[in-house]
Amino acid sequence: MVAEMRNQGDFTTSEVEAVFARVPRHLFAPNETPEAAYRRDDIVERKRDAHGMVTSSVSAPWLQATMLEQAELRPGMRVLEIGSGGYNAALIAELVGETGQVTTLDIDAEIVERSRRCLDEAGYPQVVVVLGDGEHGAAERGPFDRIIVTAGAWDIPPAWIDQLAADGRIVVPLRVRGLERSFVLARDGDHLVSTGHRLCGFVAMQGEGANQERLTLLRGEEVALRIDGETPTDPDGLGASLDMPRVEVWSGVEVGGFEEFHEMDLWLATKADHFGLLVAQQSARDSGLVAPGTRMGAKTIIDGATFAYRTTRPTSEERTSFEFGVYAHGPDAQRLAEDYANLVRVWDRDHRYGPGAHIEVWPANSPATGLPHGRVIGKRHTRVSISWPQGAVS
Ligand SMILES: C[S@@+](CC[C@H](N)C(=O)[O-])C[C@H]1O[C@@H](n2cnc3c(N)ncnc32)[C@H](O)[C@@H]1O
C-alpha cells in the first residue's frame, strides 16, 4: 500500500510516509479482509443509517495522507481529531510523538468504543477518545496546535477557533455551495485565512453543525437540484422547465482525460448568484431526460425558472480529451447557457494555470466592507469569502 501511495504521489514528506509504514491498518479494520485494509483507495468499516447513507468509515489512505501533509504535524503538538476511526488518530500519534497529545472525538458511541478498542490493541493507549458533538470541540483538552476535521463540515463553529492555539491551524473538509474541499485555515487576527485546499469527500457532519443542503425535486426523485443554504425562488418553474426543449452551447474549452479541473467548479460556484448540483437517477439519464457530465452532481447555475448544467463530449477517438458544454432548460435557457459557457472560457483564459481561489473565514457579524472583494457565502457562525486574482495570469 505504501509503495502504491508513493507511486501515486500521496506523500510530500518522508515523515508521513514513515508512519503509514509503521501503523498496522488492519488492526483498525477488524471487519475487513487484510487486502481491503491495505488498498490505497479503499474506504473501510462503513457504517450506514436506516436510509442506507454512510455515517461513518475509516477513510481512504490517500486522503488521510493528503490531510496529514496539509496539517504539517511536528513532534510535541497537541492535536484534536474530529470524527474518529482510530487509524488516523494512530498516524497522528506517531507524528506528534511521545511529547505530543492526541484527542479524537466522535458523536457515535459505537465508533468511540471501536476506536478505543482498536487503539489499545494496536498499542496507542495514550490517545484520548472522547464521545461528543464536534461542534463544541474538546475545551478541557485544548488549546490545540492542530484541529483535523474528518467529517464534511458546513461551517466553522466558534469552539474550534477558541480552542486553537495562537499559531494553530484547522484542516477541515468544508462545504462551500455544495462543493467540498479540505482547507488549511490559519489564524490572522480576527479571521482565518486558507493557505491551500484539496479536493475531498467525507461523510456529512451530524449534530448541531449538520449541513444545510436541501433537495429541490424537478421530476419526482428522478431529477433533483441539491442546493446549499438557500431555497430556489421558483422551484415549480424549474420542474416545468425540464419539459421545455434543451438548449445546447459548447465552450470550445478542452481538458485532457487526467487533468483535474476542480478549481473551475469553485470558480463557477463563486461567479454564479445561484448555484447547485444536478443529481439524476440512472433512469433519467437512460431516457435522455438529462445528460450531466458527471454522476457526482453536475454543476448547475440557476436563474429563476431557468437552469443550466455542465456536460462534456469527447474530442478524440480514444476519449482522452473532452470539451465542456452546457445544457439549459427554461424560459431564459439560451442566455444562461451562453453565460455559463463564457464563465468556462474566462476560467480557461485567466485562472486555469493560476494560483486558484483565495478563501477567508470571518465571524458572521463582520461588516461586508472589511472582507476581500469577491463572493461572500453566509453560514451560521461565519462568512466565507472566496476571491480570485484579478486579470489574466496566462
Ligand atoms: C470518515 S469518519 C472518520 C474517519 C477517521 N478519522 C479515520 O480514522 O479514518 C467520520 C466520522 O465523523 C463522525 N461525526 C459526524 N458528525 C460528527 C460530529 N458532529 N461530531 C463528532 N463526530 C462526528 C462520524 O460518526 C464518523 O465516525
Side-chain angles (χ1 to χ4, degrees), residues 353-368:
Y353 306 106
H358 175 77
I359 286 107
E360 299 189 357
V361 179
W362 291 71
N365 57 6
S366 310

Side-chain angles (χ1 to χ4, degrees), residues 55-59 64 81 83 85 88 106-107 133-134 150 205-206:
T55 59
S56 180
S57 63
V58 172
S59 304
Q64 292 172 321
E81 181 192 41
N88 200 46
D106 205 283
I107 200 167
D133 187 340
T150 63
M205 187 74 77
Q206 305 165 43

Side-chain angles (χ1 to χ4, degrees), residues 342-366:
N342 265 332
L343 283 173
V344 172
R345 292 181 195 118
V346 174
W347 167 78
D348 176 53
R349 191 193 62 204
D350 291 352
H351 301 291
R352 186 168 183 170
Y353 306 106
H358 175 77
I359 286 107
E360 299 189 357
V361 179
W362 291 71
N365 57 6
S366 310

Side-chain angles (χ1 to χ4, degrees), residues 296-314:
M296 306 299 288
K299 313 315 175 267
T300 303
I301 298 181
I302 303 155
D303 188 357
T306 305
F307 64 95
Y309 63 92
R310 200 170 71 232
T311 190
T312 51
R313 65 181 174 192

